Amino acid sequence: MPHIQAFRGLRYDLGHVGSLSDVIAPPYDVIDPALQDQLYKKHPANVIRLELNRDEPGDDATSNRYTRAARFLRNWRSEGVLQVEPDPALYVYHQVFQHQGQEYQRRGFMTRGRLERVGEGKIYPHEETHASAKQDRLLLTQACRTNISQIFGLYPDPANDAQELLEAAVAGKTPLQATDHLGVVHRLWIVTDVQTISRVAAIMDPTPMYIADGHHRYETACNYRDQLAAAGPIGDTHPANFVLTMCVSMNDPGMIVLPTHRLFRGLPPMTAGELSAKLGPYFTTRAAGHGPARGSAVWEEIEVAGEQGTLAFYTAQDDTWTLASVTPAGVARIAELAPEHSADWQSLGVALLHRLVMENLLAATNLPKPMYVHSVEEVEQGLLRGDAVGRDATGQMGQGGRFELAALVMPATVNHVQAISEHGERMPAKSTYFYPKLLSGLVFNPLE
């Protein structure tokens, strides 16, 4: 990362709000209407009123969810619900969570990270962004003049030196703690020791950063800074030159990347035999059992193999699972279909699924958006119920109807993120799902 900076964060005063668990929320892009309503009811000062204020009847250009968010923020600051840190700080942030029956702890720290335009320095994205989401976040930033939530940045640090310095600084100290709606425990410590901050900054200064999550927020921060600069010089130390960033070492043992499986509607009914005929000679295929509940065993086999080129498909027409492994001919074929991309990109499971299988071999280019889920259990439930258990690309819950095809696909790894980012490429949609999500509401970054 080119430069980090301690800052005087804005935090909830627990004397006003009581439990921190009552006022936090996940990031805006994973909040559906039901969870939004639940968070509204949880506490009158829940961060949902800033992060994702809801639309109201009669909204117009002067009174809307963005202006309401700004009003809540002003009121909470004036009432002491939110208070500014007395001294510049880095914020050590741990997340304790369960995955496949095992407890993990992901460690990182929040800081201000200096902004660079993508492609002009050492900050690398890996996902495409969408104009509508960036406009939404820009309107919120303009209204609140505050980073409400952080981006998630990965940095290489084989010995975890930066994090270990911070861990030593908070050893034996009691953290602030919140538990989210998924049962993940979030812990926060404030580090104001100047020497520790200086040593961490020295480690981070030459280090590249790979954006794991928060691409829209990062590009929005750049756009907001540029808007201010266009209106007049803002100076090199202005807070708008930075963005609230959670830094996590790529070597942290708590780094978990979940898969994003797909359930497809809109295809003509197809049997496993018909699917295999379409996949060959680019894949070797074999039947892997019958019934949605067989999905867990099929996925376990894929995970053990650990190969991006192994996919699993469920065909609803004959209730059958099929394992498919890409052949050398398949590798050559996707190179022909995606010559603009590197071999690293072409080898991704999601690239093989969408570019080779769905678009080319199945000629399925005008389907409804697939449903995205992160566990095989959700796949099995969706297939059994015939309706959606995930969200489509717009964040809306799906409508009923049979899924004709399901696909299990390996997630991209942290190493894939690094390699493909350094090629200047963006991964296909939903290639990664970094679990758990970072909370909104632990600390805010004022931009004034």
Side-chain angles (χ1 to χ4, degrees), residues 130-151:
H130 303 283
S132 59
K134 287 187 284 189
Q135 178 65 8
D136 166 62
R137 292 297 96 180
L138 182 59
L139 290 170
L140 181 62
T141 305
Q142 290 170 334
C144 294
R145 291 173 286 185
T146 300
N147 293 146
I148 305 301
S149 57
Q150 62 280 304
I151 70 164

Side-chain angles (χ1 to χ4, degrees), residues 32-43 46 48 54 181:
D32 62 20
L35 180 55
Q36 182 186 42
D37 185 61
Q38 176 185 331
L39 293 168
Y40 258 82
K41 294 174 179 176
K42 198 161 191 177
H43 195 284
N46 188 282
I48 190 66
R54 57 190 173 195
H181 68 296

Side-chain angles (χ1 to χ4, degrees), residues 112-430:
R112 275 181 177 164
R114 183 175 291 277
L115 293 166
E116 294 179 344
R117 275 293 175 186
V118 170
E120 298 179 359
K122 296 179 181 177
I123 295 178
Y124 299 92
H126 82 275
E127 285 186 349
E128 296 289 350
T129 56
H130 303 283
S132 59
K134 287 187 284 189
Q135 178 65 8
D136 166 62
R137 292 297 96 180
L138 182 59
L139 290 170
L140 181 62
T141 305
Q142 290 170 334
C144 294
R145 291 173 286 185
T146 300
N147 293 146
I148 305 301
S149 57
Q150 62 280 304
I151 70 164
F152 183 177
L154 301 175
Y155 65 96
D157 186 1
N160 295 323
D161 288 333
Q163 191 67 36
E164 292 304 332
L165 281 172
L166 292 167
E167 296 300 318
V170 302
K173 297 181 180 179
T174 302
L176 299 169
Q177 183 166 304
T179 303
D180 67 22
H181 68 296
L182 298 176
V184 178
V185 177
H186 304 258
R187 295 174 178 145
L188 190 75
W189 293 262
I190 297 89
V191 176
T192 57
D193 178 69
V194 174
Q195 184 176 6
T196 299
I197 292 170
S198 178
R199 292 174 67 190
V200 171
I203 293 171
M204 298 296 292
D205 274 351
T207 304
M209 186 186 73
Y210 306 92
I211 301 175
D213 211 352
H215 290 77
H216 294 98
R217 280 163 279 180
Y218 185 83
E219 292 188 22
T220 293
C222 290
N223 293 337
Y224 180 72
R225 175 203 59 189
D226 292 349
Q227 283 187 353
L228 292 186
I234 61 173
D236 190 58
T237 60
H238 192 286
N241 289 304
F242 300 83
V243 64
L244 181 61
T245 303
M246 169 69 164
C247 300
V248 177
S249 168
M250 298 172 72
N251 302 91
D252 185 81
M255 279 299 307
I256 300 291
V257 187
L258 298 185
T260 303
H261 305 307
R262 275 78 164 154
L263 296 96
F264 296 95
R265 290 192 179 95
L267 287 160
M270 177 172 39
T271 66
E274 292 167 335
L275 173 66
S276 294
K278 291 178 182 291
L279 295 182
Y282 301 118
F283 290 85
T284 59
T285 61
R286 64 178 174 85
H290 299 280
R294 177 68 181 162
S296 295
V298 173
W299 176 242
E300 183 177 355
E301 188 170 341
I302 293 175
E303 279 195 304
V304 169
E307 298 291 339
Q308 288 284 316
T310 300
L311 310 171
F313 297 94
Y314 171 87
T315 45
Q317 185 68 8
D318 58 356
D319 195 30
T320 298
W321 286 97
T322 299
L323 272 168
S325 296
V326 70
T327 64
V331 173
R333 181 58 178 151
I334 194 169
E336 294 173 355
L337 294 171
E340 72 279 15
H341 288 294
S342 67
D344 289 318
W345 188 97
Q346 294 165 5
S347 69
L348 289 173
V350 288
L352 291 166
L353 172 62
H354 285 282
R355 186 66 66 92
L356 179 55
V357 175
M358 300 304 296
E359 296 179 14
N360 184 251
L361 302 181
L362 301 186
T365 56
N366 295 307
L367 299 180
K369 295 293 184 182
M371 305 305 297
Y372 301 110
V373 296
H374 304 294
S375 72
V376 182
E377 290 73 22
E378 290 173 302
V379 174
E380 294 171 351
Q381 292 165 13
L383 294 173
L384 287 168
R385 295 206 317 247
D387 62 358
V389 293
R391 299 186 196 90
D392 64 21
T394 67
Q396 301 300 310
M397 296 304 291
Q399 301 302 311
R402 188 170 83 168
F403 294 109
E404 290 296 342
L405 185 72
L408 307 184
V409 57
M410 286 286 289
T413 67
V414 170
N415 290 333
H416 288 123
V417 170
Q418 180 175 6
I420 292 171
S421 297
E422 290 178 352
H423 293 320
E425 299 177 289
R426 306 287 182 106
M427 290 185 179
K430 307 296 182 182

